[in-house]
Amino acid sequence: APGKVNAALCTQLLIDRFQVDRVINIGVACSLSERVVIKNIVIATDVCQYDIDITALGEPKGFINGLGTIKVATDPTLSDRLARHRGTVASGDTFIGTAALKSAIAGEFDALCGEMEGGAVGQVCAANGVPFAVMRAISDGGDENAAMDYPTFKKIAAELSATILTRFVAEEQTQESLF
C-alpha cells in the first residue's frame, strides 16, 4: 500500500524482526525535473519529506525533529552501485498531479522526482542506523497528465526497477561467493 506510514511500518518491521543490515527501497515516482523523463531511473543521494511543515514553530519546511535535518542522506556505497541519475527524492502523502505542486516541490527541495515512501524509509533507517538506498523508475511527469501516464507506465517502470534490483542482488551474491 502506498504512503509514508505504511512504508515506515514495513521498514521498522524488517529491522526489528529480520535484523536487516541494509535496505533498498524501489518503486515508481513522478519526474520533478526536466533532466529525468518517463522510464528513467533515479537513485537518491538523499530523501526528504515535502509535506512535513512545522514552520509555525520556527523550523524550515521539511525539517525532521529527532534527526535535526531536512534531507536524509542515503548510503553512498550502496547507492553508487545502483547509480543512474542521482539526486533528491521527495516523499509525501499526495499524488503529485499538477504543474504547480510539481514546481513547488522541485523548487523548494531541489528534488529530481517525487513519490510516497522513500522519505519515510530513510527516516526509519537513519533513526535505526541502517544503511539504505532509494531507487525510483519514473512513471509520469507529475503534472496534469500524470493521472493518465501513471497507469500506462507504472508497470514498465516497476519492471525496470525490479530488473535492476535483481541484477544487483545476483552480482552481490556472486561477489560474496568469491570470499
Side-chain angles (χ1 to χ4, degrees), residues 40-62:
N40 279 175
I41 301 293
V42 173
I43 308 298
T45 52
D46 48 41
V47 293
C48 67
Q49 297 177 60
Y50 66 81
D51 57 354
I52 293 179
D53 189 346
I54 53 174
T55 55
L57 302 176
E59 299 294 356
K61 191 167 181 188

Side-chain angles (χ1 to χ4, degrees), residues 32-47:
L32 297 177
S33 168
E34 292 178 4
R35 296 188 340 219
V36 292
V37 297
I38 292 173
K39 298 195 276 182
N40 279 175
I41 301 293
V42 173
I43 308 298
T45 52
D46 48 41
V47 293

Side-chain angles (χ1 to χ4, degrees), residues 24-28 82 117 133-137 158 161-163 165:
I24 301 174
N25 178 249
I26 67 169
V28 298
L82 295 166
E117 296 85 22
V134 173
M135 178 173 65
R136 289 292 180 267
S161 291
T163 299
L165 186 61

